[in-house]
Amino acid sequence: MLKINIVCLLGGAMVSQTAYAESQSNGVIETDSKIFSVPAGQLHQALDSFARRAGVNLTYDAALLQGLTTEGINGRYTVDEALSMLLVNSGLQLSHIGSGGYLIASSGEVKSEITLPALIVGAAAEKNTSIMSLNAPSSISKFGTSVKETPASISIIDKDFIRETGAKTVDEALLYTPGVHSGNSGFSTRADWITIRGVDDLVNYRDGLRSYGGEGGPRVNVYSLDNIEVLKGPSAAMYGQGGLGGILNTTTKLPQADSQHEVWLQGGSYDRKQAAFDSTGALTDDGKFLYRIVGLQRDSDTQVDYVNDDSYFLAPSFTWKPSDKTKVTLHLHHQEDDSIMGEQFLPQSGSLESASRGKISTSTFVGEPDWDRLDKDTTEMSLFIDHTLTDTWQLSASARQSESSSTFRSHRTPFFSASNQPNADGNITRIVRTLDTDNKLTNLDVHLKGNFTTGLTQHSMSVGIDYFKSLSESDNFFLGIGQGGEFNLYEPSYGNVQSEVVNPFDLNDSEIKQTGLYLADHITLNNWSLSIALRHDNYQNTQLNVDAPNITHKETETTKQAGIMYNFDNGISPYVSYAESFTPNTGNDGTAASNILKPTKGEQRELGIKYLSPEQDVGLTFAYFDIEQENRISDGLTFGGVQQIGAAVKGWEIEAKKAWQNLTLQASYTDLDAQDKGADTRIPHMPEKLATLWGQYQLPMGIRLGAGVRYKGNIVGAGDGPLLPSVTLFDATIGYSFDDWNFSLDAKNLTDKTYVARCRSENAECYYGDRRTITANAMYSF
């Protein structure tokens, strides 16, 4: 939230530095003590840094602070105590003002309680700062710093932006994020398909713990999230398992002390019907027991005939605060998805190119309505513990046990070859495929977090150990090429299930164990900051063979990361960084030899600039990166198989955000040169140019308008073919809020552009992109 105070005090213009935390939303000053560490130095820099970290609004005359210094603070204080200590020997005094803020002025000008004339710009201005994620704290970096203070590329997409843009999946939430190619498999009910910086090795995390990814795991529902964080570039030195392109961390909604409740109803294209609720608050008057319960149920068809997208989840959580030093949170999540595979694997002739009977409809279903299925369920239990040991150190522990299963039955067109193309009448012989999977994940992360000063330097340090175990079981597998019956792509006829040919068998299972020790430290000295991380991992991948002895592959790996940044007083912060990646891979390459997959490794060098204006209404980030990778997993030359090759990626990305009183704009551009190492071909399925623009305008009487445009450059399949043309897509929203009600209407792909989002390779299968979807929303908050 942003409140702009326009105050004249003895003829001096007052400057408002603003950084609101959730506890400020009702104008309540935070009275709990917390650990604060602010280094000695220029007073205005120390106050600005403290305001961002504490989430408070400071109002002062900038001229009064010129030339003043502070000895800093390091320890446990309330906000009042911390500010008072920062102002020691400055000749300035502190007082409370309206809306939970503070006034800093000379001693002769301060009264015990001052209420100043203020201009509240209104809801539009309050929402404008939500796009300025540079000031947001970043949990994904483990440095305990804000996005702007971290010498690495980080994007945070909060729940307000997700809601205002009408995003229904993680894919859609990331459509306007620089460096990210979201939805790279087109329309899908299987998973979120996301590529960062041209490298298709994304590792998923939830609350900092390794999570599922791909078609075998559940698809995270964005309504269960507070925000989404994207850390671009390698992060193995902090997480052990981090792709070279980056990692994706989703943050779960957890209990809050303030009572908040909402009910959400949604309906829209393809007979979509969805209802959700979110309720949180204190269970006891003393605030020691908090709760939250979030739930959603959806019944929906899709752009493909007979393909549904039904789902529900229920996520209760409870927090216990036995003292002001200890907090324990238990979170449960159960989700069930009932669907059919949305990707139809249509032949290149008839989708990307016209066949003898023209283009195949995007609604064509190639399977069997009463036999095909893609059902998933998952149950997770998470435990989070935070305990303050001393004024300097805090112990944090996170643990999660997850179990997920899926049942997959599908008919589809043949894999690449001449048989993949329909005949003159539009007939093609289908593949029939079955697979059941079970996944079990165990995560544990225990670390110490310290904020302390040594000599002239201030440290924000994390040192810890984490453990990860994954067991993936695959049963009832069958692949019948040419055994799924003949099918006409232009005149579909169903009921031709040849179940007698299905003779499933069990596949080899895979188990991964990994233990890592890590150290991360963010060091500041005056305007300089240095972030370093070092990690050592022991990794074991065991292939649990059905008809042969198990095969175990062990490795140890030490990875490192370093970045240095200089923070100019005008808000410009240039930086350089180096980081390494290490991603263990499960299973084998899917060939007859069943070769165990080697870990994917790589390194990145990055040069960047971040800028946040003093008024916090302009934000800018720029990054140039140079990536080298080995043992990247790529599409193989046999169906279901993969190969491991290298990659070389150079590129740059830029994002600019600007907030006016009633208008916000954010724009991004990404330029890549992504090559398969040693093959002189482009990395497949990744556009080398991406551009986005999103704007929102707040009208009087609670009306708001939003619009966006997304440009995606041309794409190639594996082996440099075929070439998919560039595409430009438009989105729009309109909303109206009054009292406790919020109504909105959103549209994705507003012009209903038909396009092919991906083709595996020349004469292989292709995937249509998302068609237009329109949804209406009604939300009541109380």
Side-chain angles (χ1 to χ4, degrees):
M1 299 179 66
L2 172 65
K3 294 183 178 180
I4 300 177
N5 296 323
I6 298 180
V7 184
C8 289
L9 182 61
L10 299 180
M14 304 297 292
V15 179
S16 175
Q17 303 292 334
T18 310
Y20 272 82
E22 185 172 1
S23 60
Q24 303 295 128
S25 59
N26 294 319
V28 179
I29 299 296
E30 178 66 64
T31 57
D32 292 340
S33 61
K34 297 180 181 179
I35 294 175
F36 294 110
S37 182
V38 179
Q42 296 295 314
L43 180 59
H44 74 278
Q45 294 177 1
L47 290 173
D48 290 351
S49 176
F50 175 81
R52 290 193 298 270
R53 297 187 182 188
V56 295
N57 178 25
L58 303 182
T59 301
Y60 57 81
D61 183 351
L64 289 175
L65 273 61
Q66 287 185 357
L68 296 180
T69 60
T70 177
E71 295 182 358
I73 55 172
N74 184 35
R76 175 173 288 278
Y77 311 99
T78 66
V79 171
D80 284 22
E81 291 169 344
L83 285 170
S84 297
M85 293 189 68
L86 287 172
L87 295 174
V88 167
N89 298 325
S90 68
L92 303 177
Q93 291 189 9
L94 183 74
S95 67
H96 293 165
I97 58 176
S99 302
Y102 293 86
L103 170 68
I104 297 173
S106 61
S107 57
E109 298 166 351
V110 175
K111 299 178 182 179
S112 60
E113 193 71 30
I114 301 177
T115 302
L116 297 172
L119 170 63
I120 306 302
V121 175
E126 291 183 5
K127 279 194 173 291
N128 280 350
T129 56
S130 69
I131 71 167
M132 293 303 160
S133 58
L134 282 173
N135 245 355
S138 170
S139 63
I140 198 172
S141 71
K142 290 193 176 181
F143 290 126
T145 54
S146 70
V147 173
K148 184 178 184 296
E149 297 170 310
T150 306
S153 296
I154 300 174
S155 294
I156 298 180
I157 302 92
D158 65 18
K159 62 179 181 291
D160 290 333
F161 185 79
I162 294 172
R163 181 172 296 173
E164 288 302 320
T165 55
K168 302 167 191 63
T169 63
V170 174
D171 262 342
E172 291 188 355
L174 297 175
L175 289 174
Y176 290 89
T177 304
V180 176
H181 180 209
S182 189
N184 62 31
S185 279
F187 169 70
S188 176
T189 56
R190 290 190 295 166
D192 295 302
W193 303 102
I194 299 161
T195 300
I196 302 176
R197 290 185 171 177
V199 186
D200 195 8
D201 63 351
L202 179 68
V203 179
N204 293 280
Y205 286 79
R206 188 178 177 109
D207 304 309
L209 299 174
R210 179 70 186 270
S211 185
Y212 296 100
E215 61 184 295
R219 193 171 191 178
V220 176
N221 194 298
V222 292
Y223 189 69
S224 68
L225 306 178
D226 257 337
N227 64 44
I228 302 170
E229 296 177 292
V230 181
L231 174 55
K232 289 167 247 180
S235 54
M238 289 181 284
Y239 287 93
Q241 300 186 45
L244 184 55
I247 66 173
L248 177 74
N249 183 58
T250 55
T251 304
T252 303
K253 290 178 177 178
L254 294 175
Q256 303 296 315
D258 293 336
S259 180
Q260 303 171 34
H261 319 278
E262 69 180 26
V263 178
W264 177 34
L265 298 177
Q266 183 184 80
S269 301
Y270 309 114
D271 200 25
R272 182 183 182 92
K273 299 178 288 292
Q274 182 171 285
F277 68 92
D278 181 4
S279 177
T280 187
L283 289 170
T284 57
D285 292 339
D286 60 7
K288 289 188 175 181
F289 292 92
L290 312 177
Y291 82 95
R292 190 163 195 166
I293 182 167
V294 186
L296 177 146
Q297 182 157 4
R298 178 175 67 248
D299 184 314
S300 180
D301 296 331
T302 67
Q303 69 185 48
V304 179
D305 294 339
Y306 304 106
V307 174
N308 62 310
D309 185 22
D310 303 340
S311 179
Y312 90 86
F313 79 83
L314 189 65
S317 55
F318 306 92
T319 294
W320 174 43
K321 296 181 177 180
S323 70
D324 61 351
K325 294 184 178 182
T326 305
K327 181 172 72 171
V328 180
T329 298
L330 176 67
H331 179 268
L332 305 174
H333 183 99
H334 180 75
Q335 180 173 327
E336 294 185 12
D337 299 334
D338 176 6
S339 185
I340 294 175
M341 189 168 63
E343 299 96 321
Q344 296 306 296
F345 304 100
L346 299 173
Q348 179 178 327
S349 177
S351 56
L352 182 62
E353 304 156 357
S354 289
S356 58
R357 297 186 62 177
K359 291 289 188 71
I360 303 166
S361 171
T362 57
S363 65
T364 298
F365 177 55
V366 178
E368 292 290 339
D370 297 325
W371 192 84
D372 286 29
R373 58 190 295 202
L374 178 58
D375 298 337
K376 301 180 184 181
D377 67 82
T378 183
T379 301
E380 297 182 337
M381 180 172 65
S382 306
L383 182 66
F384 308 103
I385 301 174
D386 292 291
H387 177 69
T388 300
L389 299 171
T390 68
D391 289 343
T392 301
W393 291 97
Q394 182 182 44
L395 175 67
S396 294
S398 303
R400 176 174 296 133
Q401 181 67 39
S402 307
E403 295 188 4
S404 178
S405 64
S406 67
T407 302
F408 179 63
R409 304 288 183 269
S410 176
H411 289 77
R412 50 154 294 174
T413 64
F415 196 57
F416 61 85
S417 72
S419 63
N420 181 255
Q421 308 311 311
N423 63 21
D425 294 327
N427 293 318
I428 199 164
T429 303
R430 298 178 299 187
I431 287 174
V432 59
R433 187 182 184 216
T434 68
L435 178 65
D436 296 340
T437 65
D438 287 285
N439 296 288
K440 296 180 177 66
L441 293 182
T442 301
N443 281 272
L444 176 65
D445 184 352
V446 180
H447 62 274
L448 288 169
K449 295 187 292 187
N451 288 279
F452 56 91
T453 299
T454 57
L456 299 176
T457 61
Q458 177 197 351
H459 297 256
S460 177
M461 178 182 291
S462 293
V463 55
I465 181 172
D466 62 33
Y467 172 77
F468 170 80
K469 179 181 178 181
S470 166
L471 176 61
S472 300
E473 301 175 322
S474 301
D475 306 316
N476 293 324
F477 174 77
F478 179 77
L479 174 62
I481 299 177
Q483 295 180 280
E486 191 173 72
F487 184 82
N488 190 283
L489 295 166
Y490 298 89
E491 298 176 7
S493 177
Y494 304 103
N496 186 23
V497 179
Q498 301 182 27
S499 56
E500 68 279 1
V501 306
V502 178
N503 183 24
F505 57 91
D506 292 348
L507 296 175
N508 298 329
D509 299 331
S510 178
E511 181 184 71
I512 280 185
K513 296 179 181 178
Q514 182 172 349
T515 302
L517 299 171
Y518 62 88
L519 169 68
D521 192 10
H522 182 79
I523 308 165
T524 58
L525 173 62
N526 297 325
N527 290 47
W528 289 96
S529 61
L530 172 68
S531 295
I532 55 174
L534 185 68
R535 180 185 175 102
H536 181 76
D537 282 285
N538 289 299
Y539 158 72
Q540 175 179 301
N541 181 3
T542 302
Q543 182 174 295
L544 306 172
N545 293 318
V546 175
D547 299 318
N550 297 338
I551 301 174
T552 298
H553 177 75
K554 296 183 179 180
E555 283 203 31
T556 62
E557 187 74 21
T558 299
T559 51
K560 51 192 176 293
Q561 178 175 335
I564 188 168
M565 172 182 282
Y566 187 84
N567 300 283
F568 286 98
D569 295 342
N570 59 8
I572 296 176
S573 301
Y575 68 91
V576 293
S577 68
Y578 170 83
E580 298 173 343
S581 72
F582 170 72
T583 308
N585 296 306
T586 60
N588 59 69
D589 61 4
T591 65
S594 296
N595 299 304
I596 290 286
L597 293 174
K598 299 176 182 179
T600 302
K601 301 179 182 180
E603 59 184 17
Q604 175 190 269
R605 297 165 181 82
E606 180 171 317
L607 171 67
I609 298 175
K610 299 182 182 183
Y611 170 72
L612 181 65
S613 66
E615 298 79 15
Q616 300 183 34
D617 60 350
V618 177
L620 177 69
T621 61
F622 170 84
Y624 170 82
F625 45 88
D626 187 344
I627 293 172
E628 294 285 340
Q629 186 184 47
E630 60 184 42
N631 294 324
R632 177 175 63 90
I633 294 179
S634 182
D635 290 334
L637 301 179
T638 59
F639 179 75
V642 297
Q643 58 180 331
Q644 292 194 275
I645 58 177
V649 181
K650 294 182 179 180
W652 57 275
E653 61 195 31
I654 187 169
E655 182 178 41
K657 300 181 179 182
K658 169 62 178 174
W660 290 272
Q661 180 173 335
N662 298 97
L663 174 67
T664 61
L665 287 177
Q666 63 179 81
S668 70
Y669 181 79
T670 304
D671 191 288
L672 295 174
D673 178 12
Q675 302 290 321
D676 280 328
K677 200 171 183 179
D680 197 27
T681 58
R682 281 176 58 180
I683 290 180
H685 321 312
M686 180 67 196
E688 292 191 324
K689 291 178 173 54
L690 287 164
T692 67
L693 174 65
W694 174 264
Q696 185 164 315
Y697 189 77
Q698 182 82 30
L699 282 76
M701 305 298 293
I703 299 173
R704 61 191 184 277
L705 302 174
V709 58
R710 296 177 276 125
Y711 171 80
K712 182 165 61 174
N714 62 49
I715 297 173
V716 299
D720 253 1
L723 181 68
L724 280 61
S726 61
V727 62
T728 301
L729 304 170
F730 300 90
D731 307 318
T733 66
I734 182 171
Y736 174 61
S737 301
F738 72 97
D739 296 332
D740 297 323
W741 287 94
N742 184 10
F743 298 95
S744 64
L745 187 71
D746 59 76
K748 285 284 187 295
N749 189 2
L750 184 63
T751 61
D752 201 17
K753 174 75 172 179
T754 300
Y755 66 101
V756 173
R758 178 186 179 115
C759 290
R760 181 185 291 269
S761 59
E762 196 69 51
N763 293 323
E765 76 272 18
C766 296
Y767 310 72
Y768 278 123
D770 291 287
R771 296 291 299 272
R772 177 175 57 209
T773 57
I774 300 175
T775 54
N777 306 272
M779 182 173 291
Y780 179 69
S781 303
F782 56 100

